């Protein structure tokens, strides 16, 4: 229990340095694509959390400060999907 509380505090403290990057992802057809895109994004350095929306064709990525949105997009493209940074 103590450990859980400590890590929660750490999350809150670190949250100020995080940024949320929104991506438009094209070509996702099924849950396997979602898994693929999610795994791809999570493998990029600095990525902390990824949420992928299949129907909307979007992804939201929480990254450490300084991670470039373009780098995330390039990774998604390499995985075989279309990607642009949502403005
Ligand atoms: Cu699929």
């Amino acid at each position: 229990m103590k450990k859980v509380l400590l890590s929660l505090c750490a999350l809150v403290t670190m949250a100020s340095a995080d940024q949320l990057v929104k991506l438009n992802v094209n070509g996702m057809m099924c849950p396997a694509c979602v898994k693929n895109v999610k795994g791809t994004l999570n493998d990029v350095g600095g990525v902390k959390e990824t949420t992928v929306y299949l129907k909307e064709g979007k992804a939201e990525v929480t990254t450490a400060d300084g991670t470039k949105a373009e780098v995330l997009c390039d990774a998604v493209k390499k995985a075989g999907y279309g990607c642009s940074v949502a403005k």
Side-chain angles (χ1 to χ4, degrees), residues 4 8 33 39-40 43 45-46 58-59 68-69 73 85:
V4 174
L8 264 178
C33 295
T40 299
D43 279 347
K58 290 185 190 317
K68 289 206 166 54
C73 245
V85 180

Side-chain angles (χ1 to χ4, degrees), residues 14-81:
M14 282 157 59
S16 59
D18 288 353
Q19 56 184 4
L20 182 67
V21 179
K22 293 182 180 181
L23 304 173
N24 297 315
V25 182
N26 305 318
M28 293 189 295
M29 305 295 287
C30 67
C33 295
V34 172
K35 215 173 163 187
N36 201 1
V37 169
K38 193 171 171 152
T40 299
L41 286 167
N42 283 338
D43 279 347
V44 177
V47 171
K48 293 180 174 176
E49 206 187 337
T50 304
T51 309
V52 179
Y53 303 93
L54 175 62
K55 267 194 222 156
E56 291 83 352
K58 290 185 190 317
E60 290 182 354
V61 191
T62 305
T63 70
D65 205 12
T67 304
K68 289 206 166 54
E70 288 75 14
V71 175
L72 299 173
C73 245
D74 284 348
V76 172
K77 284 178 193 163
K78 264 184 207 153
Y81 301 93

